[in-house]
Amino acid sequence: MKIRELLEGRALSLSFEVFPPKTETTFESVKQATEEIAALRPSFMSVTYGAGGGTSRYTLDIAKNIKERYGVPSLAHLTCVSSTKETVRERIADIRAAGITNVMALRGDIPAGREHEDRSGWDYAYAVELVRELREADADFCIGGACYPEIHPESADQREDIRHLKEKVEAGCDFLTTQMFFDNNLLYNFLYKIREAGITVPVIPGIMPITNANQVERAMKLSGSFMPQRFKSLVDRFGHDPAAMKQAGIAYATDQIIDLYANGLTNVHVYSMNKPDVAAKIQSNLSNILGK
Ligand code: FAD
């Protein structure tokens, strides 16, 4: 199923993200975790590409497995930074050959030590170029793009970021998924601004359940997200106690999701980080809301 079709419905749904293994030795454990998450029958599952330390060549294997063994629609991520046209075209051909129709088109982060301007050997500067390439390769692809309620860290201001986002959507995005955020008001404000700018495609909010104190710093560094006082107090109070922190982090994420549904968002994407227990707990917290 195409994600754009899913988003046309009014039913509330939950989707999950997994990342591929770093090495062959961890492939089986990641496969097991993704299968346990797929067994929860989410609306779809996304598989990152090269992010979280994962090896890119496993992205398709995992996405294909989720789709074929579990009948759960999968969304394969693809990045273009530091790639040549030739490599990207090969990857697109692999995606088509694997029968994957949902693709998340990303630029990827600039590798440490390289400046964005130093593009020798790279054929892509921004995700918009990958979106165009995917759209040309297959008019039937359902293409997702990333967006940033709190501004992408490289952008000078939100107006500029939204102008580039609009260009990316016009190049062929069917939907957008947000960077994690911990204050829903930031999302509502962002939605107002992008709608005003004429971006009309569906937006899927991305929620990261913070289940241990170490994750906090990493998540903030990665996303530059604002940490509300309510969330800070929770980490201060429970951060030293792993079981309590996990419970509190899951409750916080659940609360965010309920508020998003209550405010008209229909599908929420959970950055479940290969943790089936966390995905299952969030889903069971929402059992009556989701009718599962
Ligand atoms: P872009 O859309 O290209 O935007 C990057 C920056 O460039 C922004 O500041 C934008 O305003 C600016 N910009 C865009 N177009 C132009 C232009 N024409 N001129 C000047 N400036 C411009 N990373 C991975 O490596 N693998 C993954 O699987 C992955 N999955 C992700 C999923 C989601 C939902 C999100 C939010 C992020 C994900 N990332 C992933 C991280 C992402 O690759 C980084 O955030 C990256 O820095 C930007 O990617 P992008 O696709 O948003 O880039």
Side-chain angles (χ1 to χ4, degrees), residues 48-49 51 77 106-109 126-127 148 152 155 161 164 168:
T48 66
Y49 184 90
H77 289 204
L106 299 142
R107 186 196 68 187
D109 284 322
Y126 300 106
Y148 303 83
H152 185 272
S155 280
D161 209 25
H164 294 139
K168 185 161 73 174

Side-chain angles (χ1 to χ4, degrees), residues 4-228:
R4 64 169 171 251
E5 288 158 14
L6 170 98
L7 297 171
E8 278 164 12
R10 296 299 308 152
L12 302 182
S13 55
L14 207 55
S15 50
F16 294 117
E17 180 160 295
V18 293
F19 57 83
K22 270 186 193 156
T23 60
E24 198 152 349
T25 50
T26 52
F27 184 82
E28 277 310 314
S29 64
V30 171
K31 188 164 164 259
Q32 171 75 23
T34 60
E35 290 189 353
E36 284 176 37
I37 296 175
L40 297 170
R41 310 218 49 82
S43 55
F44 71 89
M45 281 173 73
S46 65
V47 188
T48 66
Y49 184 90
T55 307
S56 47
R57 72 193 161 98
Y58 293 126
T59 298
L60 263 192
D61 294 348
I62 293 172
K64 199 165 180 257
N65 192 47
I66 291 166
K67 184 174 175 243
E68 288 179 0
R69 282 197 63 181
Y70 289 87
V72 171
S74 55
L75 169 65
H77 289 204
L78 180 64
T79 65
C80 59
V81 74
S82 66
S83 299
T84 60
K85 290 249 174 204
E86 197 186 0
T87 317
V88 166
R89 282 179 190 154
E90 272 170 28
R91 296 285 169 276
I92 295 175
D94 292 344
I95 290 172
R96 295 184 74 193
I100 305 283
T101 50
N102 299 304
V103 187
M104 186 77 180
L106 299 142
R107 186 196 68 187
D109 284 322
I110 310 290
R114 281 286 288 262
E115 293 298 323
H116 192 243
E117 291 70 29
D118 172 16
R119 290 179 47 212
S120 45
W122 298 356
D123 290 337
Y124 300 84
Y126 300 106
V128 62
E129 297 154 44
L130 178 60
V131 174
R132 282 196 195 108
E133 187 123 3
L134 282 160
R135 191 47 83 217
E136 268 169 36
D138 193 334
D140 205 36
F141 271 143
C142 175
I143 304 174
C147 65
Y148 303 83
E150 295 175 72
I151 311 179
H152 185 272
E154 287 166 35
S155 280
D157 57 48
Q158 194 167 43
R159 191 182 291 262
E160 181 188 300
D161 209 25
I162 291 177
R163 190 164 54 81
H164 294 139
L165 183 64
K166 190 169 184 212
E167 224 175 85
K168 185 161 73 174
V169 170
E170 285 170 352
C173 289
D174 293 291
F175 68 94
L176 297 168
T177 305
T178 75
Q179 178 62 284
M180 66 182 88
F181 55 89
F182 299 94
D183 178 348
N184 288 1
N185 287 324
L186 293 166
L187 177 84
Y188 302 140
N189 197 272
F190 172 72
L191 287 177
Y192 175 75
K193 287 181 180 162
I194 65 167
R195 298 309 184 212
E196 208 183 23
I199 300 173
T200 56
V201 292
V203 174
I204 302 179
I207 295 297
M208 167 79 92
I210 299 288
T211 53
N212 68 69
N214 300 335
Q215 228 183 317
V216 178
E217 206 179 316
R218 235 181 313 129
M220 300 303 141
K221 205 171 148 209
L222 187 81
S223 64
S225 303
F226 164 71
M227 209 202 274

